[in-house]
Amino acid sequence: MMQLIRAYEEQAAALQAESGAPGTCTSVGQEACAVGVIAALGRDDLILTNHRSAGHLLARGADPGRLFSEVMGRRDGYCKGKSGSLHISARELGVILTSTIVGGELGLACGVGLSQKMLHRAGVVVCFFGDGAACEGRFHESLNLAAVWGLPILFVCENNEWQAFVSRRETMLADRIASWAAPFGIDSVTVDGNDVEAVRAVATAALDVVRSGKPFLLEARTYRLRGHFEPDDQAYVDAQELASAWARDPLSRFEGSLQESRRLDADAIATMRAAAKSRVDAAVAYAMDSPYPAIDELVTDVYA
């Protein structure tokens, strides 16, 4: 799944460079966060995410052909081509919304969590956000509200060290966002976000707490290996820092672990990588063949 996400996002960036698709925010380098957390979810659990959503959608089972169709504004996309890459929702997968407003999903997650609680529905709410959103007032308001109301929400901060074009170190003095949960009476944990097995284990334990009726904050420390928004030459990133981050690439790290433990060999991993690339190529072809929405679709799905 991490290979599929990487192949999808690299292709999305390549299409943008060729003027074949709009710009997009990738999550290259953060694949272990998405896969590890979502692998721990149940079928009734709900997801709210942010502008780096492709990894979350794919890990939840989204069809890459329908995702590319959406990005390209085609009719066969999840939202009939009307959301682009930054607002995709897929209700059949439990992905309630993708918010491009930094921190926007945090407050909305409280609404979804309250709905789940009041209607006695199965499933908890998982809300993905970044370290930039953690600097917003809405982050603190949402944690407070979730704690006071006892909402079944797993807050997942993908701390990728960059807030658009600004380093996290320029915007906060604390080194751990997880520690900010304590004043609200919320338990929290920080995990190596580049270790997919560690993320899954920690997320599984955190979800047990959430299913008991208490919110929880999980901070996954990772690194954004591509720029904020394609195209982006990352000229603002120290070259040595970026090289060090690539050395901790979650895909290379997990592949090395699999080979070292003899769970998979290099040939098997290469075969999986080729299969992911083939699936992405087929998805692009599917999207290219998808028609644009008809003109009479222009104002449908706008108002309830």
Side-chain angles (χ1 to χ4, degrees), residues 282-293:
V284 172
Y286 173 88
M288 292 292 190
D289 287 340
S290 177
Y292 288 104

Side-chain angles (χ1 to χ4, degrees), residues 59 103 110 130-131 150-151 186 193-195 228 245 261 265 270 278 281 291 293 297:
C110 290
D131 46 291
L151 301 181
I186 293 178
N194 284 6
D195 183 337
H228 168 58
S261 61
D265 60 25
S278 178
D281 289 343
E297 281 279 329

